[in-house]
Amino acid sequence: MHLIVAEKNISARRIAEILGHGKRIVENKDAGVSTYSFGETTTVGLRGHVVEIDFVPGYSNWRSEEYKPRSLIDAKTIKIPTERKIVSLLQKLARKADRVTIATDFDTEGELIGKEAFELVRAVNPKVIVDRARFSAITSQELSHAFSHTTELDFALAAAGEARQSIDLMWGAALTRFISLAARRGGQNILSVGRVQSPTLTMIVDREKEIEAFVPEKYWQISLLTEKSGEVVETRHTHGRFHEKAEAQLAHDRTKAPLVVTDIKTGTKQDRAPSPFDTTSYIVAAARLGFSAANAMRIAEDLYMNGYISYPRTDNTVYPPSLDLDGILKDIRNSPFRKEVEWTMANRRAVPTRGKKSSTDHPPIHPAGPATREAIGDDAFRIYELVLRRFLATLAPDAQWKTLKVLFVAGGEEYTATGGQLLEPGWHTVYPFSEAKEMILPAFVTGEHLPIKKVALDEKETQPPARFTQSKLIQMMEELGLGTKSTRHEVIAKLVSRKYVEGTPLRPTLVGRAVIESLEQHADMIIKPDMTQTLESHMQQIKESTRTREDVIKESQMMLHRAFDQLEANEQVIGDDIRGRTAEEMNLGKCPVCGGTIAIKHMRGNSQFIGCSRYPDCTFNIGLPNAQWGFAVRTDEICEKHMLNFVRLVRKGARPWDIGCPLCHQITSNKESLAEIPSMTDVLASKIQAKHVYTVAEIARSTPEQMAKRLDISMDAAQQLISDAGSVLEKLRRRSECRKFLRERIIPRKGRSSAKILTALKDLGITELFGLAHTDAATLKKAGVSEAEAEQILTEAKLMYYGQVLKDIGIPAVSLKKYLSAGIITPEMFCERTPEALSKLAGVSPATVQRHVDLVCTFLNKPQPKKIPKLKIEKGKKELLAIRGITDSVVEKLLMAGITNTTTLLSADAGTIAAATGITVQKIKDFQAAIQKKKDTAIIQI
Ligand SMILES: [Zn+2]
Ligand SMILES: [Zn+2]
């Protein structure tokens, strides 16, 4: 069998479809992983990397004394499968294969993924032939060439990728751990530091500092409006910017009619067609259409995988001679852009344009086949159109402009106007994405006099440098050699997700800035691009086999050790510094009660709340959901009413939960419960809010003196309010207990959630465990609970509800457990049976049972069951044993159900006794008949 290993499932399928040449492709699924077979060939797709490197076990404890962060630099690493199902399927197939072709993406990352597959294959089939197919587009032509000219895996290229992986792991893990521990941050709140990430963040921080340090300067400009043949023309003073207002004013005042045309210069300008797309210029062009860098790459990869465009990760801006431009044009004639393609074919320039960089791996990004909007969707089609039109533009002639510059003079002051007219639109015909704005001036004649309609003196200010947009940042990273064409957009996405930068354009957050500024002071080599550039050149050397991977890693380890010398010496300072700077990011504004500062506080064990800086003098606080629902952070928005920053809960992989203004949130979420206080009047409600009392709990916890003083009400009213609040609080507690109970038992499924069921139950009047314990399965089903769940919930609700009731009555926990497991659940059950029976059932001593029965009966306000003297019991037992079929064990059972003699057995309900004893109804009825018969005989005998 010939096994072909592709980088992803979708490319495995495409490859099979193309190489199968119309043969039937059989798709098989093995543990959820697809393979595609035709004839003797099978293709399988990986999921990118199917193994990852990690440290050998022992390094996972951050606070280990033995393994300090520095120890990660020299820690040994191992490869661990991350996609077990794919790995085992790949090895299963490899055992049967006699040839394996690695067909992963054609770049460093793809070569490394290929090498990982190679190692997995060789591990189970050491002799199998393994070759490599390289192609830049998943099209029939590229694939048939690649598969008929297979080569060897490029181990040097893969080694370069491996070196980068190891170094990134070591730098990232060691530094992140060190900085986070120094700043005492853990869990979801760690401070990550990375080899490429940190220098990139530094650029954003530096730009922000430039903007802050920028002092705007005033300048003045003069413009003059004139008119020719009914058309208004704007001219500008040739001096440009005036830095002195007086000077500008003078020039303005001297400008007097007439305005005379002194010179007209005409010329032509060549407007070169754009060069082919590499990854960076593609991202920049896509950004103009509104696509983020990450989105642009995702769509491009999709288009590549489906054979619509060539591989989008490339540094090349020169079409290689081997690229069949005519063939591509012919193919894309069948796209919706036939008109543009045919125009380009008819007007083709002699040689396609070329950019500055030429590399041997991939050609520049170009279309690979026809696509339609219906087939690929709106966004993908816009990207496809961009790539296609760019390709056409690189084959189209240059554009020609006619330029015109007119000089005027008025009162000795010189003015000028410029115009431009597109003589030959050239490439603009097929590429509308770059603006070509014409400015057509009326025909002027030298010496002619014109009217002055207006002379304006405008005061302006110099502007600070602009913040980076994502695409601008990617360009800058490329210039500085930071990251690769494949990773740059991912690095930026990481900075955003780690809350180091925010907004469009990008600006650093307080944390992002604190980390960078602190590193800058104490270990600046980590944030300078030099170190990363050095590594990139080392990687190049590995690719060219002039250096080994081990050698490069060793050098990197030494660099990092030097950084740690500096870092460890300053650990305390770095930690204090970062904490000092980031404390502010949790501040929300003024405390409404005392004027101190309220801030988000994160405690150990995921609890978080908003508290006042003047605690314990001021106890104002606002509760927040546990951090497992999202880590609370401050946002930029400010509540106009309370002047407090908004709060947001962020959780990895989930949509953020916006709380908004914490105080507004506090007020609205407590409105309902405050309204439940019977003695709460409208007047009182607004009064308590004005005095910054927001919750029922605060009222319930206050003393009458405090409340009376704070709200300026009578002691009686305060007393009433507090006691009412206490009951409401109790009710709220019971409701939340019921919600928690249900939430833990109702598994969310598609189309239903515990919230939905809770609302439905509320509508049915069930908000507390009491209600739940007294309802039935049918009601629960109505609320959306399944049959099986309903039984379970009812039983557990009863146990929990009555368990609490019995506990409140005074039954100690140890005995309670015994009663509950013996099925004695409700208080009523304590009065239905004799204490002796209870004692036997639950295994609690008779004296203790008696005490418990006393407690329960007092609680229920029921008479205590009469104690039956031993003698009487013995007499009853004898009576019962005299009945046919009643044995000692039957007597025992009957006793437990409260049946002590023939009289009680006769008058009892057969069904009830059967249920309580496990004896069949028929048998009980037989006993009763026998007793009755005996009784009748006795009467007759009399
Ligand atoms: Zn306060
Ligand atoms: Zn507010």
Side-chain angles (χ1 to χ4, degrees):
M1 180 193 55
H2 180 200
L3 177 65
I4 296 173
V5 184
E7 184 145 335
K8 298 212 167 110
N9 174 49
I10 179 162
S11 33
R13 178 160 56 201
R14 288 270 313 160
I15 291 171
E17 280 164 6
I18 292 171
L19 295 183
H21 289 301
K23 281 189 203 129
R24 206 170 77 86
I25 311 291
V26 182
E27 178 175 353
N28 275 311
K29 276 206 174 189
D30 191 318
V33 188
S34 295
T35 58
Y36 308 91
S37 304
F38 56 94
E40 278 299 289
T41 307
T42 294
T43 69
V44 63
L46 305 173
R47 198 168 287 159
H49 292 283
V50 292
V51 295
E52 81 180 359
I53 64 161
D54 199 356
F55 298 112
V56 294
Y59 289 90
S60 56
N61 179 8
W62 280 47
R63 285 164 218 284
S64 160
E65 278 302 311
E66 190 183 349
Y67 297 121
K68 298 261 185 207
R70 190 199 273 259
S71 70
L72 291 171
I73 302 174
D74 302 306
K76 287 213 163 41
T77 57
I78 43 171
K79 283 189 183 176
I80 308 167
T82 48
E83 301 286 345
R84 288 180 183 283
K85 284 176 189 163
I86 298 179
V87 168
S88 73
L89 176 61
L90 176 66
Q91 295 192 317
K92 191 166 143 192
L93 294 167
R95 281 192 190 95
K96 291 183 277 183
D98 37 42
R99 178 184 167 201
V100 176
T101 302
I102 306 288
T104 50
D105 289 350
F106 176 21
D107 59 11
T108 311
E109 210 62 23
E111 209 67 26
L112 178 53
I113 292 167
K115 192 201 160 198
E116 287 161 1
F118 168 85
E119 283 168 352
L120 293 168
V121 166
R122 276 285 159 92
V124 295
N125 190 348
K127 291 211 181 104
V128 67
I129 303 164
V130 180
D131 56 3
R132 169 81 163 116
R134 294 192 175 83
F135 43 86
S136 294
I138 307 182
T139 57
S140 162
Q141 201 198 0
E142 283 262 340
L143 289 188
S144 56
H145 182 268
F147 279 85
S148 54
H149 295 81
T150 56
T151 52
E152 300 264 290
L153 260 174
D154 185 342
F155 288 95
L157 187 59
E162 272 180 315
R164 187 206 306 279
Q165 257 189 353
S166 308
I167 292 169
D168 282 350
L169 174 70
M170 150 183 116
W171 280 75
L175 290 170
T176 297
R177 203 174 279 194
F178 176 85
I179 295 292
S180 301
L181 286 175
R184 287 190 224 152
R185 292 220 184 194
Q188 314 194 39
N189 208 10
I190 57 162
L191 298 175
S192 89
V193 180
R195 190 180 61 80
V196 178
Q197 192 199 107
S198 299
T200 305
L201 177 56
T202 304
M203 286 201 288
I204 302 170
V205 171
D206 285 350
R207 175 55 58 92
E208 202 65 20
K209 285 198 256 182
E210 267 177 71
I211 294 169
E212 281 166 12
F214 184 82
V215 183
E217 269 177 40
K218 282 197 174 134
Y219 65 87
W220 292 266
Q221 276 179 328
I222 306 171
S223 60
L224 182 154
L225 294 184
T226 183
E227 195 180 340
K228 173 80 197 263
S229 327
E231 215 178 307
V232 176
V233 177
E234 187 181 352
T235 71
R236 281 163 290 118
H237 197 284
T238 52
H239 185 276
R241 293 179 177 187
F242 288 91
H243 294 285
E244 297 295 332
K245 188 176 182 184
E247 203 189 329
Q249 192 67 52
L250 200 64
H252 175 266
D253 295 347
R254 276 205 294 245
T255 304
K256 292 267 156 54
L259 180 73
V260 185
V261 179
T262 55
D263 195 12
I264 300 167
K265 286 180 193 145
T266 55
T268 54
K269 206 183 81 191
Q270 194 93 340
D271 179 3
R272 234 182 84 84
S275 47
F277 268 152
D278 63 355
T279 304
T280 303
S281 53
Y282 157 70
I283 287 177
V284 171
R288 288 208 195 99
L289 299 182
F291 291 92
S292 72
N295 217 8
M297 280 317 285
R298 190 184 51 73
I299 296 173
E301 267 157 33
D302 245 34
L303 290 173
Y304 158 71
M305 225 81 86
N306 286 291
Y308 297 122
I309 68 171
S310 65
Y311 194 57
R313 298 172 193 274
T314 176
D315 281 331
N316 200 351
T317 50
V318 179
Y319 294 128
S322 59
L323 191 68
D324 180 11
L325 299 171
D326 298 314
I328 298 171
L329 281 170
K330 222 179 278 163
D331 276 348
I332 59 174
R333 249 177 72 179
N334 297 321
S335 75
F337 303 100
R338 185 184 196 101
K339 210 178 79 203
E340 289 80 358
V341 176
E342 283 175 350
W343 181 89
T344 309
M345 288 166 122
N347 293 278
R348 213 164 134 183
R349 63 189 296 139
V351 182
T353 60
R354 50 188 291 144
K356 286 184 201 132
K357 282 174 301 170
S358 165
S359 64
T360 49
D361 52 358
H362 286 284
I365 307 170
H366 61 79
T372 60
R373 189 185 296 273
E374 293 69 40
I376 62 177
D378 281 345
D379 279 354
F381 190 72
R382 283 171 69 209
I383 291 291
Y384 173 75
E385 177 177 1
L386 173 68
V387 171
L388 180 138
R389 286 182 178 275
R390 178 65 161 230
F391 174 72
L392 295 181
T394 63
L395 303 178
D398 292 345
Q400 293 277 355
W401 290 80
K402 183 183 163 197
T403 60
L404 186 65
K405 187 169 184 178
V406 187
L407 276 172
F408 309 85
V409 69
E413 297 297 317
E414 279 202 328
Y415 289 84
T416 180
T418 51
Q421 194 180 348
L422 204 49
L423 284 182
E424 281 296 331
W427 59 277
H428 289 292
T429 314
V430 290
Y431 196 74
F433 306 110
S434 103
E435 234 175 273
K437 220 177 172 189
E438 292 191 295
M439 176 70 199
I440 297 164
L441 292 176
F444 290 108
V445 184
T446 315
E448 82 177 290
H449 286 214
L450 296 158
I452 295 177
K453 307 285 289 181
K454 190 181 168 193
V455 186
L457 176 63
D458 296 316
E459 186 181 287
K460 292 188 173 162
E461 271 190 350
T462 53
Q463 296 297 309
R467 293 192 173 106
F468 293 118
T469 57
Q470 292 207 6
S471 60
K472 180 72 193 162
L473 190 63
I474 287 176
Q475 278 176 296
M476 292 289 296
M477 289 170 80
E478 188 179 356
E479 273 169 40
L480 293 170
L482 286 174
T484 67
K485 60 198 179 226
S486 327
T487 57
R488 285 180 196 121
H489 63 279
E490 285 165 9
V491 168
I492 297 175
K494 248 180 216 167
L495 289 176
V496 174
S497 76
R498 285 170 185 171
K499 297 191 286 291
Y500 280 161
V501 300
E502 60 189 10
T504 333
L506 301 161
R507 55 174 193 279
T509 61
L510 216 55
V511 203
R513 202 166 160 159
V515 171
I516 293 304
E517 286 178 358
S518 194
L519 288 174
E520 199 165 42
Q521 270 176 29
H522 304 290
D524 62 346
M525 61 170 295
I526 293 165
I527 56 160
K528 283 203 179 135
D530 316 27
M531 169 270 296
T532 292
Q533 284 163 359
T534 313
L535 186 77
E536 296 298 334
S537 69
H538 290 170
M539 301 263 304
Q540 200 53 44
Q541 291 166 345
I542 301 178
K543 285 181 199 171
E544 289 155 6
S545 301
T546 52
R547 264 187 98 168
T548 66
R549 179 175 64 121
E550 289 71 24
D551 192 32
V552 166
I553 293 179
K554 181 135 261 154
E555 182 170 337
S556 194
Q557 284 168 329
M558 272 154 57
M559 268 162 66
L560 196 48
H561 271 299
R562 280 203 302 279
F564 262 83
D565 290 342
Q566 266 181 297
L567 287 170
E568 283 175 349
N570 293 301
E571 181 167 0
Q572 182 77 32
V573 188
I574 294 171
D576 290 350
D577 190 31
I578 294 176
R579 274 185 300 134
R581 285 168 200 252
T582 52
E584 200 197 315
E585 76 181 325
M586 294 300 162
N587 288 354
L588 300 175
K590 264 192 183 168
C591 171
V593 178
C594 74
T597 304
I598 57 166
I600 302 167
K601 312 271 179 194
H602 296 105
M603 312 304 278
R604 274 183 191 280
N606 270 344
S607 84
Q608 50 187 3
F609 66 97
I610 294 165
C612 178
S613 58
R614 296 206 180 134
Y615 179 84
D617 291 332
C618 171
T619 55
F620 176 79
N621 68 79
I622 297 175
L624 288 174
N626 202 293
Q628 81 184 78
W629 301 105
F631 187 80
V633 294
R634 173 180 93 167
T635 74
D636 280 348
E637 256 178 293
I638 287 174
C639 171
E640 282 181 14
K641 194 169 167 206
H642 300 113
M643 298 311 288
L644 293 172
N645 280 83
F646 281 18
V647 173
R648 171 179 291 169
L649 303 184
V650 286
R651 189 155 57 110
K652 220 175 164 185
R655 240 194 293 154
W657 173 3
D658 279 307
I659 301 248
C661 164
L663 196 51
C664 286
H665 179 78
Q666 177 84 331
I667 292 167
T668 32
S669 56
N670 283 287
K671 207 170 176 175
E672 235 175 273
S673 52
L674 282 169
E676 288 199 32
I677 298 178
S679 48
M680 181 67 68
T681 59
D682 286 350
V683 181
L684 206 51
S686 55
K687 219 174 195 176
I688 65 158
Q689 201 174 318
K691 295 290 177 186
H692 308 296
V693 178
Y694 301 102
T695 64
V696 177
E698 274 175 87
I699 302 174
R701 275 198 305 263
S702 304
T703 64
E705 290 79 12
Q706 284 171 335
M707 265 296 126
K709 201 173 147 213
R710 199 155 167 194
L711 301 181
D712 190 22
I713 51 176
S714 74
M715 277 291 277
D716 282 352
Q719 191 96 52
Q720 186 62 47
L721 185 64
I722 291 167
S723 117
D724 284 353
S727 339
V728 172
L729 198 61
E730 182 53 29
K731 204 191 302 175
L732 294 175
R733 191 196 59 73
R734 289 198 303 266
R735 275 184 212 161
S736 99
E737 169 192 71
C738 177
R739 276 199 303 273
K740 183 167 176 259
F741 174 88
L742 284 168
R743 242 188 254 121
E744 282 168 357
R745 282 160 183 82
I746 290 167
I747 304 144
R749 271 205 301 266
K750 214 174 168 191
R752 77 157 202 190
S753 61
S754 52
K756 228 173 173 175
I757 290 174
L758 281 166
T759 317
L761 284 173
K762 195 177 163 194
D763 293 342
L764 292 164
I766 299 172
T767 54
E768 297 180 12
L769 274 180
F770 170 83
L772 217 48
H774 288 84
T775 189
D776 49 32
T779 312
L780 289 182
K781 263 169 79 184
K782 222 190 287 169
V785 180
S786 77
E787 186 127 30
E789 283 172 325
E791 283 307 325
Q792 177 92 4
I793 285 172
L794 281 176
T795 313
E796 289 182 26
K798 277 199 179 100
L799 277 176
M800 186 172 264
Y801 171 73
Y802 288 114
Q804 276 166 9
V805 171
L806 290 171
K807 209 166 125 200
D808 291 344
I809 290 173
I811 314 279
V814 183
S815 311
L816 183 58
K817 215 172 145 194
K818 289 180 182 164
Y819 290 128
L820 294 181
S821 51
I824 304 158
I825 293 166
T826 67
E828 283 74 16
M829 287 178 173
F830 276 78
C831 309
E832 278 166 7
R833 298 171 190 214
T834 64
E836 289 78 7
L838 289 176
S839 166
K840 279 212 173 124
L841 264 175
V844 177
S845 80
T848 314
V849 169
Q850 190 57 56
R851 245 196 352 263
H852 294 161
V853 171
D854 288 351
L855 283 170
V856 175
C857 292
T858 314
F859 173 80
L860 290 176
N861 225 347
K862 276 194 179 170
Q864 291 186 21
K866 280 194 207 91
K867 278 178 206 157
I868 308 164
K870 251 203 161 111
L871 252 164
K872 212 171 166 189
I873 289 186
E874 286 304 316
K875 190 174 162 245
K877 207 169 161 183
K878 256 186 204 153
E879 270 176 41
L880 287 167
L881 282 169
I883 305 298
R884 212 167 62 142
I886 294 189
T887 59
D888 274 337
S889 77
V890 172
V891 171
E892 288 277 294
K893 281 180 192 164
L894 290 172
L895 209 57
M896 301 244 193
I899 306 297
T900 49
N901 52 31
T902 47
T903 323
T904 45
L905 178 56
L906 191 61
S907 61
D909 174 63
T912 312
I913 300 172
T917 57
I919 301 168
T920 62
V921 179
Q922 191 50 54
K923 266 201 173 148
I924 304 281
K925 281 191 175 156
D926 288 347
F927 297 152
Q928 286 173 332
I931 297 169
Q932 191 60 52
K933 201 173 158 195
K934 218 170 186 182
K935 231 174 157 182
D936 294 344
T937 337
I939 293 168
I940 292 164
Q941 275 174 353
I942 289 166

